[in-house]
Amino acid sequence: MKLTVSGNEKEYADGLSVAQLIELEKVETPQYVTVSVNDEFVESGAFAETSLNAGDIVEFLYFMGGGQYGF
Amino acid sequence: MAFSNEQLERYSRHIILQEVGAKGQKKLMDAKVLIIGAGGLGAPAALYLAAAGVGTIGIADADEVDLSNLQRQVIHSTPDVGKAKVLSAKESMNAINPEVTVNTYQEFVDASNITDLIADYDFIIDGTDNFPAKFLINDACVLSKKPFSHAGIIRFKGQLMTYVPGAGPCYRCVFREPPPPEAVPTCRQAGVIGAIGGIIGSLQAMETVKFIIGKGDLLTGSLLTYDALKMEFRKIKLPKAKNCAVCGESPSILKPFDYEQAVCKL
Ligand SMILES: [Zn+2]
């Protein structure tokens, strides 16, 4: 199935979950990333049980605070 | 109030713009903007807003200028090392534009003083470098119904969003809680390219000007991200979180509060 992840359309395995996508895309600091699918936030506790569908638009949003915590 | 000849000349490049004009310039001159943090983001924002003739600019920062600040905090100069940042910033702003009233607050901004601090201002710029301060500014602005510009920078990346009361998500809608300080590398391991502050801080100044003159589209409901190495800007749509702890349907945060500060300071 095709997904648009961070603005790039690519082919992914059917039935992929948000948690699996995070691992596949090697998302930095995965425990603190915010995920939106089709302009709705996915609760972080629901990453594993949320499966993606063809055509979904996924965005990863990262903490960026300045030098202090070093992201 | 009519413009003096000097003002007409100083602001001529603004006044000639259809979107600004004499009316917009007057709005800028009547506006009051608070910048929290006179660092990498606050420096360019303060310089451009002073140059633009924003009538009153408040600047809050407890720190003194350090030699390691000068690589990016362009409002301070080498002879300012050791001087209060707010004083050094005020001198630079008034050197550019003596007409601007600069209010300095040499203090740590925390839950005890933020509500009073922001009360007098029309727009707030978050130019801080740490998550406890960013969440505090967000909560206080949401609770006091103040528009503000949030931004963050690190290494070769930066991002910003604009909160306007009643018009889109707040910072906490996107990021629920600050990450625990022990979970991530310390500031010494990070780093930031100086010009990133210039780019993102200038974009914060641009959002401020647009808000004041009431023209164009603000970054409400959007996060603009910039990756300098890829030389790529992206505008990511941000939904509102119905369950947001401060701006959601049944908020649990009813007054500003402080998170514990990390020990590492910039
Ligand atoms: Zn919110």
Side-chain angles (χ1 to χ4, degrees):
Chain A
M1 64 175 175
K2 279 198 170 115
L3 300 175
T4 302
V5 179
S6 305
N8 302 308
E9 195 186 61
K10 270 186 4 195
E11 194 66 40
Y12 292 88
D14 285 353
L16 199 70
S17 73
V18 169
Q20 288 168 322
L21 182 68
I22 285 171
E23 211 182 305
L24 201 65
E25 291 293 316
K26 299 185 175 66
V27 164
E28 275 177 66
T29 59
Q31 62 275 50
Y32 304 115
V33 74
T34 295
V35 180
S36 78
V37 177
N38 305 328
D39 300 329
E40 290 288 338
F41 292 122
V42 180
E43 296 298 323
S44 57
F47 286 174
E49 71 219 34
T50 304
S51 36
L52 296 159
N53 299 301
D56 279 352
I57 297 167
V58 184
E59 294 287 356
F60 299 120
L61 302 152
Y62 300 96
F63 271 114
M64 212 175 279
Q68 194 160 43
Y69 290 175
F71 274 105
Chain B
M1 185 198 80
F3 291 106
S4 68
N5 285 340
E6 198 193 308
Q7 286 172 329
L8 283 174
E9 191 174 346
R10 179 184 285 272
Y11 304 120
S12 58
R13 304 302 193 275
H14 272 171
I15 293 169
I16 204 167
L17 287 168
Q18 200 197 331
E19 292 81 356
V20 184
K23 220 168 140 187
Q25 187 60 44
K26 181 74 173 48
K27 285 183 182 167
L28 288 167
M29 289 159 69
D30 288 340
K32 297 174 110 187
V33 175
L34 177 68
I35 301 168
I36 304 179
L41 293 163
L47 291 174
Y48 274 111
L49 294 177
V54 169
T56 305
I57 301 175
I59 186 128
D61 199 309
D63 286 345
E64 281 140 26
V65 179
D66 186 88
L67 189 58
S68 67
N69 299 151
L70 301 183
Q71 159 262 16
R72 64 197 178 284
Q73 300 177 14
V74 294
I75 202 164
H76 312 299
S77 303
T78 306
D80 297 322
V81 169
K83 191 185 280 183
K85 279 189 175 180
V86 290
L87 193 63
S88 161
K90 180 187 165 93
E91 287 169 1
S92 301
M93 283 189 270
N94 279 143
I96 292 175
N97 193 344
E99 285 192 350
V100 175
T101 301
V102 180
N103 300 328
T104 59
Y105 307 95
Q106 194 188 354
E107 58 199 42
F108 288 103
V109 175
D110 60 25
S112 74
N113 59 14
I114 190 162
T115 305
D116 286 345
L117 196 58
I118 64 178
D120 285 341
Y121 292 92
D122 308 315
F123 193 91
I124 290 90
I125 291 180
D126 172 2
T128 65
D129 60 6
N130 66 87
F131 295 111
K134 289 183 182 307
F135 278 86
L136 176 73
I137 293 168
N138 178 75
D139 295 348
C141 286
V142 170
L143 293 166
S144 295
K145 299 189 167 57
K146 295 280 181 184
F148 77 101
S149 165
H150 158 88
I153 49 173
I154 193 72
R155 302 193 177 113
F156 286 85
K157 290 180 180 176
Q159 62 189 25
L160 73 157
M161 63 179 277
T162 302
Y163 171 78
V164 174
C170 78
Y171 178 64
R172 203 183 272 280
C173 284
V174 187
F175 301 105
R176 307 299 167 92
E177 289 278 316
E182 73 276 11
V184 292
T186 67
C187 59
R188 296 214 181 118
Q189 296 167 278
V192 63
I193 197 84
I196 269 283
I199 291 163
I200 305 297
S202 299
L203 288 170
Q204 290 186 284
M206 184 62 82
E207 288 288 277
T208 309
V209 167
K210 281 158 52 195
F211 177 82
I212 294 167
I213 66 172
K215 297 287 173 185
D217 300 320
L218 295 169
L219 288 169
T220 49
S222 300
L223 183 76
L224 186 69
T225 67
Y226 174 60
D227 182 329
L229 292 177
K230 289 186 186 157
M231 211 52 186
E232 203 171 79
F233 277 100
R234 290 194 67 228
K235 193 170 162 182
I236 302 169
K237 214 172 147 192
L238 295 179
K240 229 174 117 83
K242 285 191 186 80
N243 61 355
C244 175
V246 69
C247 83
E249 283 164 3
S250 47
S252 56
I253 298 168
L254 305 171
K255 59 183 177 83
F257 69 98
D258 293 310
Y259 287 100
E260 214 176 304
Q261 283 282 346
V263 278
C264 177
K265 260 180 75 12
L266 272 194

PDB file of all heavy atoms in Angstrom, chain A residues 41, chain B residues 138-139 142 161 163 168-176 239-248, ligand 1:
ATOM      1  N   PHE A  41      -4.197  13.476  15.623  1.00  0.00           N
ATOM      2  CA  PHE A  41      -3.135  12.907  16.453  1.00  0.00           C
ATOM      3  C   PHE A  41      -3.477  11.473  16.834  1.00  0.00           C
ATOM      4  O   PHE A  41      -4.640  11.146  17.090  1.00  0.00           O
ATOM      5  CB  PHE A  41      -2.957  13.721  17.741  1.00  0.00           C
ATOM      6  CG  PHE A  41      -2.398  15.098  17.512  1.00  0.00           C
ATOM      7  CD1 PHE A  41      -3.096  16.224  17.926  1.00  0.00           C
ATOM      8  CD2 PHE A  41      -1.168  15.277  16.876  1.00  0.00           C
ATOM      9  CE1 PHE A  41      -2.580  17.497  17.726  1.00  0.00           C
ATOM     10  CE2 PHE A  41      -0.649  16.545  16.666  1.00  0.00           C
ATOM     11  CZ  PHE A  41      -1.354  17.667  17.089  1.00  0.00           C
TER      12      PHE A  41
ATOM     13  N   ASN B 138       3.346  28.549  26.931  1.00  0.00           N
ATOM     14  CA  ASN B 138       2.136  28.083  26.255  1.00  0.00           C
ATOM     15  C   ASN B 138       0.927  28.140  27.189  1.00  0.00           C
ATOM     16  O   ASN B 138      -0.118  28.720  26.857  1.00  0.00           O
ATOM     17  CB  ASN B 138       2.326  26.651  25.756  1.00  0.00           C
ATOM     18  CG  ASN B 138       1.079  26.123  25.084  1.00  0.00           C
ATOM     19  OD1 ASN B 138       0.769  26.488  23.957  1.00  0.00           O
ATOM     20  ND2 ASN B 138       0.322  25.277  25.780  1.00  0.00           N
ATOM     21  N   ASP B 139       1.082  27.556  28.372  1.00  0.00           N
ATOM     22  CA  ASP B 139      -0.048  27.479  29.290  1.00  0.00           C
ATOM     23  C   ASP B 139      -0.515  28.874  29.688  1.00  0.00           C
ATOM     24  O   ASP B 139      -1.717  29.161  29.686  1.00  0.00           O
ATOM     25  CB  ASP B 139       0.335  26.680  30.543  1.00  0.00           C
ATOM     26  CG  ASP B 139       0.636  25.218  30.212  1.00  0.00           C
ATOM     27  OD1 ASP B 139       0.325  24.784  29.086  1.00  0.00           O
ATOM     28  OD2 ASP B 139       1.175  24.514  31.085  1.00  0.00           O
ATOM     29  N   VAL B 142      -2.276  30.589  26.733  1.00  0.00           N
ATOM     30  CA  VAL B 142      -3.603  30.020  26.495  1.00  0.00           C
ATOM     31  C   VAL B 142      -4.571  30.507  27.570  1.00  0.00           C
ATOM     32  O   VAL B 142      -5.673  30.978  27.272  1.00  0.00           O
ATOM     33  CB  VAL B 142      -3.550  28.470  26.456  1.00  0.00           C
ATOM     34  CG1 VAL B 142      -4.949  27.873  26.464  1.00  0.00           C
ATOM     35  CG2 VAL B 142      -2.767  27.989  25.229  1.00  0.00           C
ATOM     36  N   MET B 161       5.566  27.676  15.302  1.00  0.00           N
ATOM     37  CA  MET B 161       4.117  27.699  15.125  1.00  0.00           C
ATOM     38  C   MET B 161       3.583  28.938  15.834  1.00  0.00           C
ATOM     39  O   MET B 161       4.258  29.519  16.679  1.00  0.00           O
ATOM     40  CB  MET B 161       3.460  26.438  15.691  1.00  0.00           C
ATOM     41  CG  MET B 161       3.633  26.258  17.191  1.00  0.00           C
ATOM     42  SD  MET B 161       2.807  24.758  17.836  1.00  0.00           S
ATOM     43  CE  MET B 161       1.137  25.365  18.038  1.00  0.00           C
ATOM     44  N   TYR B 163       0.292  30.540  17.960  1.00  0.00           N
ATOM     45  CA  TYR B 163      -0.973  30.299  18.656  1.00  0.00           C
ATOM     46  C   TYR B 163      -1.778  31.592  18.674  1.00  0.00           C
ATOM     47  O   TYR B 163      -1.270  32.649  19.065  1.00  0.00           O
ATOM     48  CB  TYR B 163      -0.722  29.819  20.089  1.00  0.00           C
ATOM     49  CG  TYR B 163      -1.995  29.761  20.909  1.00  0.00           C
ATOM     50  CD1 TYR B 163      -2.882  28.705  20.754  1.00  0.00           C
ATOM     51  CD2 TYR B 163      -2.322  30.784  21.794  1.00  0.00           C
ATOM     52  CE1 TYR B 163      -4.069  28.662  21.480  1.00  0.00           C
ATOM     53  CE2 TYR B 163      -3.499  30.750  22.524  1.00  0.00           C
ATOM     54  CZ  TYR B 163      -4.371  29.677  22.352  1.00  0.00           C
ATOM     55  OH  TYR B 163      -5.547  29.654  23.061  1.00  0.00           O
ATOM     56  N   GLY B 168      -7.107  27.505  16.512  1.00  0.00           N
ATOM     57  CA  GLY B 168      -6.149  26.442  16.234  1.00  0.00           C
ATOM     58  C   GLY B 168      -5.491  25.903  17.487  1.00  0.00           C
ATOM     59  O   GLY B 168      -5.776  26.349  18.601  1.00  0.00           O
ATOM     60  N   PRO B 169      -4.611  24.918  17.279  1.00  0.00           N
ATOM     61  CA  PRO B 169      -4.035  24.199  18.416  1.00  0.00           C
ATOM     62  C   PRO B 169      -2.999  25.030  19.169  1.00  0.00           C
ATOM     63  O   PRO B 169      -2.450  25.984  18.639  1.00  0.00           O
ATOM     64  CB  PRO B 169      -3.354  23.004  17.750  1.00  0.00           C
ATOM     65  CG  PRO B 169      -3.010  23.480  16.377  1.00  0.00           C
ATOM     66  CD  PRO B 169      -4.094  24.437  15.988  1.00  0.00           C
ATOM     67  N   CYS B 170      -2.731  24.618  20.399  1.00  0.00           N
ATOM     68  CA  CYS B 170      -1.637  25.199  21.177  1.00  0.00           C
ATOM     69  C   CYS B 170      -0.471  24.206  21.142  1.00  0.00           C
ATOM     70  O   CYS B 170      -0.569  23.112  20.598  1.00  0.00           O
ATOM     71  CB  CYS B 170      -2.090  25.520  22.594  1.00  0.00           C
ATOM     72  SG  CYS B 170      -2.198  24.120  23.732  1.00  0.00           S
ATOM     73  N   TYR B 171       0.638  24.632  21.723  1.00  0.00           N
ATOM     74  CA  TYR B 171       1.848  23.787  21.745  1.00  0.00           C
ATOM     75  C   TYR B 171       1.583  22.470  22.469  1.00  0.00           C
ATOM     76  O   TYR B 171       2.058  21.411  22.067  1.00  0.00           O
ATOM     77  CB  TYR B 171       2.964  24.593  22.430  1.00  0.00           C
ATOM     78  CG  TYR B 171       4.286  23.893  22.593  1.00  0.00           C
ATOM     79  CD1 TYR B 171       5.039  23.501  21.477  1.00  0.00           C
ATOM     80  CD2 TYR B 171       4.824  23.650  23.855  1.00  0.00           C
ATOM     81  CE1 TYR B 171       6.270  22.883  21.628  1.00  0.00           C
ATOM     82  CE2 TYR B 171       6.058  23.040  24.017  1.00  0.00           C
ATOM     83  CZ  TYR B 171       6.768  22.660  22.900  1.00  0.00           C
ATOM     84  OH  TYR B 171       7.988  22.054  23.064  1.00  0.00           O
ATOM     85  N   ARG B 172       0.772  22.528  23.535  1.00  0.00           N
ATOM     86  CA  ARG B 172       0.487  21.327  24.313  1.00  0.00           C
ATOM     87  C   ARG B 172      -0.447  20.364  23.580  1.00  0.00           C
ATOM     88  O   ARG B 172      -0.509  19.176  23.913  1.00  0.00           O
ATOM     89  CB  ARG B 172      -0.087  21.709  25.687  1.00  0.00           C
ATOM     90  CG  ARG B 172       0.081  20.670  26.746  1.00  0.00           C
ATOM     91  CD  ARG B 172      -0.554  21.074  28.048  1.00  0.00           C
ATOM     92  NE  ARG B 172       0.291  21.832  28.947  1.00  0.00           N
ATOM     93  CZ  ARG B 172       1.218  21.300  29.750  1.00  0.00           C
ATOM     94  NH1 ARG B 172       1.435  20.009  29.756  1.00  0.00           N
ATOM     95  NH2 ARG B 172       1.928  22.067  30.549  1.00  0.00           N
ATOM     96  N   CYS B 173      -1.214  20.861  22.626  1.00  0.00           N
ATOM     97  CA  CYS B 173      -2.004  19.957  21.779  1.00  0.00           C
ATOM     98  C   CYS B 173      -1.069  18.990  21.040  1.00  0.00           C
ATOM     99  O   CYS B 173      -1.407  17.830  20.816  1.00  0.00           O
ATOM    100  CB  CYS B 173      -2.776  20.737  20.716  1.00  0.00           C
ATOM    101  SG  CYS B 173      -4.227  21.619  21.282  1.00  0.00           S
ATOM    102  N   VAL B 174       0.081  19.504  20.645  1.00  0.00           N
ATOM    103  CA  VAL B 174       1.025  18.724  19.833  1.00  0.00           C
ATOM    104  C   VAL B 174       1.955  17.911  20.725  1.00  0.00           C
ATOM    105  O   VAL B 174       2.169  16.720  20.510  1.00  0.00           O
ATOM    106  CB  VAL B 174       1.862  19.656  18.927  1.00  0.00           C
ATOM    107  CG1 VAL B 174       2.706  18.818  17.960  1.00  0.00           C
ATOM    108  CG2 VAL B 174       0.961  20.637  18.168  1.00  0.00           C
ATOM    109  N   PHE B 175       2.506  18.582  21.728  1.00  0.00           N
ATOM    110  CA  PHE B 175       3.443  17.929  22.645  1.00  0.00           C
ATOM    111  C   PHE B 175       2.843  17.984  24.044  1.00  0.00           C
ATOM    112  O   PHE B 175       2.717  19.044  24.622  1.00  0.00           O
ATOM    113  CB  PHE B 175       4.801  18.622  22.606  1.00  0.00           C
ATOM    114  CG  PHE B 175       5.422  18.621  21.240  1.00  0.00           C
ATOM    115  CD1 PHE B 175       5.450  19.777  20.466  1.00  0.00           C
ATOM    116  CD2 PHE B 175       5.947  17.453  20.701  1.00  0.00           C
ATOM    117  CE1 PHE B 175       6.010  19.773  19.193  1.00  0.00           C
ATOM    118  CE2 PHE B 175       6.504  17.440  19.429  1.00  0.00           C
ATOM    119  CZ  PHE B 175       6.533  18.606  18.674  1.00  0.00           C
ATOM    120  N   ARG B 176       2.473  16.835  24.561  1.00  0.00           N
ATOM    121  CA  ARG B 176       1.668  16.789  25.785  1.00  0.00           C
ATOM    122  C   ARG B 176       2.430  17.212  27.031  1.00  0.00           C
ATOM    123  O   ARG B 176       1.888  17.858  27.913  1.00  0.00           O
ATOM    124  CB  ARG B 176       1.080  15.383  25.974  1.00  0.00           C
ATOM    125  CG  ARG B 176       0.305  14.875  24.755  1.00  0.00           C
ATOM    126  CD  ARG B 176      -0.879  15.800  24.463  1.00  0.00           C
ATOM    127  NE  ARG B 176      -1.469  15.543  23.150  1.00  0.00           N
ATOM    128  CZ  ARG B 176      -2.476  14.703  22.953  1.00  0.00           C
ATOM    129  NH1 ARG B 176      -2.974  14.026  23.951  1.00  0.00           N
ATOM    130  NH2 ARG B 176      -2.964  14.549  21.735  1.00  0.00           N
ATOM    131  N   PRO B 239      -3.519  19.455  13.897  1.00  0.00           N
ATOM    132  CA  PRO B 239      -4.890  19.468  14.430  1.00  0.00           C
ATOM    133  C   PRO B 239      -4.902  19.984  15.859  1.00  0.00           C
ATOM    134  O   PRO B 239      -3.857  20.104  16.494  1.00  0.00           O
ATOM    135  CB  PRO B 239      -5.284  17.999  14.394  1.00  0.00           C
ATOM    136  CG  PRO B 239      -4.018  17.235  14.419  1.00  0.00           C
ATOM    137  CD  PRO B 239      -2.929  18.115  13.877  1.00  0.00           C
ATOM    138  N   LYS B 240      -6.082  20.298  16.356  1.00  0.00           N
ATOM    139  CA  LYS B 240      -6.266  20.626  17.757  1.00  0.00           C
ATOM    140  C   LYS B 240      -6.512  19.313  18.486  1.00  0.00           C
ATOM    141  O   LYS B 240      -7.158  18.418  17.950  1.00  0.00           O
ATOM    142  CB  LYS B 240      -7.522  21.509  17.870  1.00  0.00           C
ATOM    143  CG  LYS B 240      -7.350  22.758  18.679  1.00  0.00           C
ATOM    144  CD  LYS B 240      -8.601  23.607  18.600  1.00  0.00           C
ATOM    145  CE  LYS B 240      -9.214  23.747  19.975  1.00  0.00           C
ATOM    146  NZ  LYS B 240      -8.613  24.793  20.800  1.00  0.00           N
ATOM    147  N   ALA B 241      -5.994  19.170  19.697  1.00  0.00           N
ATOM    148  CA  ALA B 241      -6.283  17.974  20.487  1.00  0.00           C
ATOM    149  C   ALA B 241      -7.481  18.264  21.380  1.00  0.00           C
ATOM    150  O   ALA B 241      -7.420  19.138  22.234  1.00  0.00           O
ATOM    151  CB  ALA B 241      -5.069  17.582  21.326  1.00  0.00           C
ATOM    152  N   LYS B 242      -8.571  17.498  21.147  1.00  0.00           N
ATOM    153  CA  LYS B 242      -9.786  17.718  21.951  1.00  0.00           C
ATOM    154  C   LYS B 242      -9.514  17.521  23.435  1.00  0.00           C
ATOM    155  O   LYS B 242     -10.116  18.161  24.277  1.00  0.00           O
ATOM    156  CB  LYS B 242     -10.883  16.735  21.510  1.00  0.00           C
ATOM    157  CG  LYS B 242     -11.528  17.092  20.179  1.00  0.00           C
ATOM    158  CD  LYS B 242     -12.776  16.225  19.962  1.00  0.00           C
ATOM    159  CE  LYS B 242     -13.369  16.450  18.580  1.00  0.00           C
ATOM    160  NZ  LYS B 242     -12.622  15.682  17.539  1.00  0.00           N
ATOM    161  N   ASN B 243      -8.565  16.599  23.721  1.00  0.00           N
ATOM    162  CA  ASN B 243      -8.265  16.287  25.127  1.00  0.00           C
ATOM    163  C   ASN B 243      -7.056  17.064  25.640  1.00  0.00           C
ATOM    164  O   ASN B 243      -6.448  16.678  26.633  1.00  0.00           O
ATOM    165  CB  ASN B 243      -8.046  14.774  25.291  1.00  0.00           C
ATOM    166  CG  ASN B 243      -6.875  14.273  24.462  1.00  0.00           C
ATOM    167  OD1 ASN B 243      -6.278  15.024  23.681  1.00  0.00           O
ATOM    168  ND2 ASN B 243      -6.540  12.999  24.622  1.00  0.00           N
ATOM    169  N   CYS B 244      -6.666  18.161  24.969  1.00  0.00           N
ATOM    170  CA  CYS B 244      -5.525  18.963  25.422  1.00  0.00           C
ATOM    171  C   CYS B 244      -5.752  19.414  26.869  1.00  0.00           C
ATOM    172  O   CYS B 244      -6.836  19.891  27.219  1.00  0.00           O
ATOM    173  CB  CYS B 244      -5.327  20.172  24.520  1.00  0.00           C
ATOM    174  SG  CYS B 244      -4.035  21.290  25.103  1.00  0.00           S
ATOM    175  N   ALA B 245      -4.684  19.273  27.678  1.00  0.00           N
ATOM    176  CA  ALA B 245      -4.817  19.556  29.116  1.00  0.00           C
ATOM    177  C   ALA B 245      -5.036  21.031  29.409  1.00  0.00           C
ATOM    178  O   ALA B 245      -5.482  21.390  30.495  1.00  0.00           O
ATOM    179  CB  ALA B 245      -3.583  19.044  29.863  1.00  0.00           C
ATOM    180  N   VAL B 246      -4.713  21.903  28.447  1.00  0.00           N
ATOM    181  CA  VAL B 246      -4.896  23.330  28.740  1.00  0.00           C
ATOM    182  C   VAL B 246      -5.933  24.014  27.839  1.00  0.00           C
ATOM    183  O   VAL B 246      -6.642  24.917  28.292  1.00  0.00           O
ATOM    184  CB  VAL B 246      -3.538  24.083  28.756  1.00  0.00           C
ATOM    185  CG1 VAL B 246      -2.924  24.169  27.364  1.00  0.00           C
ATOM    186  CG2 VAL B 246      -3.661  25.476  29.358  1.00  0.00           C
ATOM    187  N   CYS B 247      -6.055  23.569  26.567  1.00  0.00           N
ATOM    188  CA  CYS B 247      -7.022  24.243  25.691  1.00  0.00           C
ATOM    189  C   CYS B 247      -8.132  23.307  25.221  1.00  0.00           C
ATOM    190  O   CYS B 247      -8.946  23.677  24.384  1.00  0.00           O
ATOM    191  CB  CYS B 247      -6.323  24.919  24.502  1.00  0.00           C
ATOM    192  SG  CYS B 247      -5.965  23.826  23.111  1.00  0.00           S
ATOM    193  N   GLY B 248      -8.161  22.081  25.769  1.00  0.00           N
ATOM    194  CA  GLY B 248      -9.142  21.091  25.332  1.00  0.00           C
ATOM    195  C   GLY B 248     -10.523  21.303  25.927  1.00  0.00           C
ATOM    196  O   GLY B 248     -10.797  22.325  26.558  1.00  0.00           O
TER     197      GLY B 248
HETATM  198 ZN    ZN C   1      -3.929  22.777  23.334  1.00  0.00          ZN
END
